[in-house]
Amino acid sequence: MTKPRLKLPVISSKVSSKALLVLNSILALIYGFWWLDPSHIGHPLFYFSLFFGEVYHLFMAFTFWQTIWPQDYNPLLEKDQNAWESNPKVDIYITVAGEQVEVVKKTVLAAKDLKYDKFSIYILNDGFIAKKDNWKQIENLASDLGVFCITRKSGSGAKAGNINNALKNTKGEIVVILDADMMVHEDFLEKTIPYFGDPKVGFVQTPQYYKNYNKNIIAKTAWEQQEFFFGPIMEGKGRQNSAIISGTNVAIRRKALDEAGGMCEDNIAEDFLTSLFIYQKGWKAFYTKEVLAEGLAPQDLLSYYKQQHRWARGSLEVLFAHNPLFKKRLSWRQKIQYLSSAAYYFNGVVVLIDLLIPIIFLYTGISPVAATTTSFTLVFIPLILLIFLTIFKVSDGSLTFRAIAFSHSSFTLQLSALKSLLFREKTMFVVTSKKAQEGNFLFLAIPHIFFVILSVIGVFIALYRDGLTPSVATNVSWAFFNIVMFMPFISVAYNWRGLFKLFAADRPASVAS
């Protein structure tokens, strides 16, 4: 049975000042105009490759500033206590596809402790379709705990199909979707149902909090990235009626879901696209950053990689197949917000360009830029420092270097997701493992290690060829920057400490001592 918490987890975020964002924008425009100067063009192909990357960076920067732009927003004023007092029937959907029985049990027991009069709990058991050995155990668990179990024996659409199947077999006015590991707080419905007093509210999203974030470096990093998204990013989207369904910890009005065609089954990021369709039907949504459910973060690099790859593939598919710019009945704010969220995963292409340019110079001496290092530094350094200051302020200092480094190092999975989309490779919906997987995941970091080796060799070649010229110094700096950004990712791909201990143990005692 869940107990009242003395100290609830919180999402760190602060509202930025308009003056700071205006200053960001001014410096960004100056930086952009620097790239438009024809006299700065060195090698045309490489210059315009970099120019493309900088246009992308500036677009993402401006949309970020637009997201966190302060504006009056108090959803509490729009909540209607009558929605709580009228007690709409609520169906709690716990989606399961082979997760451990003990994990599911804890989630069900937490849901049973909800403070509300009219709700039913359904375990949506997709274990049979997913060919998991414990699907029958899940049915037995539901029987033992006195909750409903809906087991699909046929069908498609993965998690989305599982939810749509449940919609056909239940009648609740509001549905709450929970992943198998997401234990709700007892006041979850108390804090979300009143928003539905506004008859135009389609869904209410709450954060996806990882209670095991201190388990290891990967879990902590995954949470630091999530905290930034569910802090300033989602708060900003909420203020602009552009919040995104994140697949769990969300309450959705059945009518809104029905009008949107149910959960979207033709995209592995079914939540992202479904929320877009709900907005198209004229509904609005709310986001509350109060943590009302707690789940499990990926605890190994492979699980992290697979989760991020699924998000990247689904988001990129939205960008190419369901581009928000061309969707009717969306406000311009909604179009920009959804476009920037989907475009985030195009970052892999830009990172690849930024990696190749210094390598090409170090080995060949070909320079994409003809301008002096000083002129570039004068427009770039103030901008990048101000951007980091802004991120630090709006995240309340919670976004760490490690989280940024992991995002940078994820370029490989983003490129893999893009390739799978362009070549129409089928990507299966894979549930993120709820326990740490053991093994050697060094293969995930091979491109990063290869870059480090290429860079080190290239530095010696460039120094031997040109000496320590400003161009050499600049490209060595960029290569070194990327190496530093890759190190946290490389460090968790393999048990390096164990390897060093093994080498020490193999040495003669006299040497080891």
Side-chain angles (χ1 to χ4, degrees):
M1 183 173 180
T2 56
K3 302 294 182 183
R5 293 163 175 76
L6 295 177
K7 185 178 180 181
L8 293 174
V10 296
I11 305 293
S12 297
S13 65
K14 285 186 176 179
V15 177
S16 177
S17 70
K18 292 182 179 180
L20 180 62
L21 297 181
V22 169
L23 182 58
N24 271 274
S25 301
I26 292 173
L27 292 184
L29 289 173
I30 294 173
Y31 180 68
F33 280 117
W34 185 93
W35 280 95
L36 293 175
D37 188 339
S39 67
H40 294 161
I41 300 175
H43 189 285
L45 175 61
F46 299 143
Y47 182 88
F48 285 107
S49 295
L50 278 178
F51 178 76
F52 166 78
E54 295 314 303
V55 169
Y56 170 84
H57 285 146
L58 289 174
F59 169 77
M60 296 303 294
F62 276 107
T63 55
F64 171 65
W65 298 326
Q66 190 251 339
T67 299
I68 63 175
W69 184 266
Q71 56 183 290
D72 293 333
Y73 174 77
N74 189 355
L76 295 177
L77 297 178
E78 300 189 43
K79 294 203 304 182
D80 186 347
Q81 193 61 27
N82 291 332
W84 174 258
E85 294 172 354
S86 64
N87 286 325
K89 175 69 167 57
V90 177
D91 292 332
I92 311 292
Y93 292 170
I94 301 174
T95 59
V96 178
E99 290 87 347
Q100 300 97 312
V101 174
E102 280 304 310
V103 170
V104 179
K105 181 178 180 179
K106 291 178 181 178
T107 302
V108 174
L109 290 176
K112 292 186 72 172
D113 283 339
L114 283 165
K115 293 180 178 179
Y116 197 69
D117 293 334
K118 295 166 60 178
F119 72 93
S120 300
I121 300 173
Y122 296 86
I123 297 179
L124 310 190
N125 183 15
D126 237 14
F128 182 86
I129 286 181
K131 299 180 180 179
K132 302 296 183 179
D133 295 335
N134 68 345
W135 71 271
K136 191 64 178 178
Q137 291 176 269
I138 295 297
E139 286 191 333
N140 295 335
L141 174 69
S143 179
D144 292 342
L145 297 181
V147 300
F148 299 102
C149 183
I150 302 176
T151 301
R152 285 205 300 169
K153 294 298 180 67
S154 62
S156 59
K159 180 180 177 180
N162 194 13
I163 293 171
N164 288 336
N165 180 65
L167 288 171
K168 299 174 184 176
N169 293 280
T170 58
K171 299 294 184 182
E173 182 182 341
I174 307 294
V175 298
V176 172
I177 300 173
L178 301 172
D179 282 346
D181 61 307
M182 282 292 170
M183 297 171 58
V184 288
H185 295 182
E186 58 188 12
D187 59 350
F188 182 92
L189 296 178
E190 234 180 323
K191 296 292 181 64
T192 56
I193 294 301
Y195 287 100
F196 291 99
D198 182 340
K200 293 305 295 177
V201 170
F203 66 88
V204 179
Q205 179 65 56
T206 73
Q208 187 174 342
Y209 176 79
Y210 295 147
K211 63 183 177 183
N212 65 333
Y213 70 92
N214 271 329
K215 188 73 174 180
N216 57 34
I217 291 176
I218 295 172
K220 192 170 184 63
T221 304
W223 166 241
E224 289 165 351
Q225 292 176 329
Q226 286 286 81
E227 185 173 19
F228 186 67
F229 176 74
F230 284 109
I233 299 296
M234 276 290 274
E235 279 191 284
K237 290 181 182 297
R239 287 193 295 268
Q240 300 177 48
N241 194 31
S242 303
I244 297 170
I245 294 175
S246 67
T248 184
N249 310 349
V250 60
I252 311 177
R253 193 187 299 270
R254 175 186 288 269
K255 184 178 179 182
L257 201 49
D258 287 343
E259 288 187 6
M263 295 297 290
C264 178
E265 296 187 25
D266 63 355
N267 185 294
I268 57 176
E270 79 294 331
D271 43 9
F272 186 95
L273 202 49
T274 298
S275 53
L276 186 66
F277 292 159
I278 288 176
Y279 284 124
Q280 274 195 282
K281 295 299 180 180
W283 296 92
K284 62 181 180 179
F286 284 120
Y287 170 72
T288 172
K289 75 170 185 176
E290 183 175 359
V291 174
L292 299 174
E294 303 177 26
L296 301 173
Q299 300 176 52
D300 61 86
L301 192 60
L302 183 60
S303 297
Y304 173 87
Y305 185 97
K306 288 181 177 179
Q307 182 188 66
Q308 294 287 325
H309 188 279
R310 185 177 76 243
W311 293 348
R313 170 61 193 267
S315 297
L316 287 170
E317 193 169 321
V318 170
L319 191 64
F320 283 87
H322 301 278
N323 196 301
L325 285 180
F326 306 108
K327 294 292 183 182
K328 297 179 179 180
R329 298 195 67 185
L330 293 179
S331 70
W332 71 269
R333 290 179 182 273
Q334 289 171 332
K335 290 182 179 183
I336 293 298
Q337 286 301 313
Y338 271 79
L339 180 64
S340 63
S341 294
Y344 168 79
Y345 292 99
F346 196 73
N347 188 56
V349 174
V350 179
V351 172
L352 180 62
I353 293 172
D354 291 341
L355 294 177
L356 291 177
I357 294 300
I359 291 294
I360 291 171
F361 173 84
L362 292 176
Y363 279 85
T364 68
I366 297 175
S367 179
V369 179
T372 64
T373 301
T374 301
S375 71
F376 178 77
T377 301
L378 287 175
V379 295
F380 175 74
I381 296 300
L383 174 62
I384 195 66
L385 290 178
L386 191 61
I387 288 175
F388 279 118
L389 173 63
T390 304
I391 291 174
F392 182 82
K393 287 181 69 67
V394 298
S395 67
D396 199 18
S398 63
L399 187 65
T400 64
F401 164 76
R402 180 176 54 234
I404 297 173
F406 262 62
S407 296
H408 189 75
S409 299
S410 295
F411 81 98
T412 50
L413 66 88
Q414 293 164 356
L415 289 173
S416 174
L418 180 60
K419 178 185 76 71
S420 68
L421 175 62
L422 294 177
F423 288 92
R424 299 183 179 180
E425 298 171 1
K426 188 174 182 180
T427 302
M428 300 298 292
F429 184 96
V430 179
V431 175
T432 304
S433 176
K434 308 308 178 189
K435 63 179 181 180
Q437 300 183 70
E438 298 181 358
N440 176 3
F441 305 123
L442 191 60
F443 66 95
L444 296 176
I446 287 177
H448 310 77
I449 296 172
F450 184 60
F451 175 82
V452 172
I453 296 172
L454 273 181
S455 297
V456 172
I457 296 173
V459 168
F460 287 104
I461 292 175
L463 288 173
Y464 177 78
R465 182 188 64 238
D466 302 330
L468 190 58
T469 64
S471 294
V472 170
T474 299
N475 283 278
V476 168
S477 298
W478 279 118
F480 180 73
F481 168 81
N482 285 301
I483 290 173
V484 171
M485 295 294 283
F486 287 162
M487 293 314 295
F489 191 84
I490 294 173
S491 69
V492 299
Y494 187 75
N495 183 14
W496 300 102
R497 185 176 299 178
L499 180 65
F500 296 147
K501 287 182 178 179
L502 179 64
F503 281 142
D506 287 342
R507 287 184 293 173
S510 59
V511 177
S513 60

